[in-house]
Amino acid sequence: MDQITPYCPQFQDAMEVLGRRWTGAIVRAMLAGRTRFSELTETIPDLTDRLLSIRLKELESEGIVTRHVEPTRPVRIEYRLTDKGRELADVVILLGDWAHRHAPPEAQAQYAAMKAAQAASTADAAAANSGECATAEPVNQT
């Protein structure tokens, strides 16, 4: 690890951008493939439309996110991470790992339950898309 100096203005600037409420969650959701405004609000509990709009504008002004408007009817707007934004993936993963290691047991149990539900939902969707049943019940072919 490089030697850590007591103060670094660039580090402080980065923390002020990424440390704002909901910014980390927005970047994480975008790293996971969420690009539409509605996808972000559905993914991140308690994030209001107003605050998401503000944060996306801040991330855009920092060069972390770009806004793409597709001239369809209705107009389709997507937000995409720039190369600078995608470079945050390692930081997000490391911080997430640290957070999981130091979370209280009840939070760890809640996260495990959420992951199990997501895995089951993904398995159900995959089975539905492949034409297979997601249950063990026999199919009536009469």
Side-chain angles (χ1 to χ4, degrees), residues 21-119:
R21 185 170 184 165
W22 302 115
T23 301
I26 294 165
V27 170
R28 182 182 177 101
M30 293 183 76
L31 285 166
R34 304 306 186 270
T35 61
R36 305 282 312 274
F37 193 94
S38 60
E39 291 174 331
L40 292 166
T41 56
E42 289 169 6
T43 300
I44 305 168
D46 303 323
L47 175 60
T48 65
D49 289 357
R50 180 178 180 279
L51 195 50
L52 176 57
S53 180
I54 290 168
R55 293 297 181 257
L56 287 170
K57 287 176 185 172
E58 291 170 350
L59 290 167
E60 188 175 7
S61 72
E62 292 291 334
I64 295 171
V65 168
T66 59
R67 183 176 186 261
H68 295 271
V69 179
E70 295 182 30
T72 57
R73 291 197 186 252
V75 172
R76 181 181 172 102
I77 299 172
E78 289 190 350
Y79 297 89
R80 299 180 189 149
L81 291 169
T82 62
D83 289 341
K84 180 179 177 179
R86 286 188 295 276
E87 286 181 28
L88 291 168
D90 290 341
V91 173
V92 169
I93 291 167
L94 287 171
L95 188 57
D97 289 347
W98 176 86
H100 288 290
R101 281 193 308 276
H102 299 284
E106 59 275 6
Q108 289 179 359
Q110 182 181 23
Y111 179 75
M114 180 189 76
K115 290 298 284 183
Q118 286 177 341

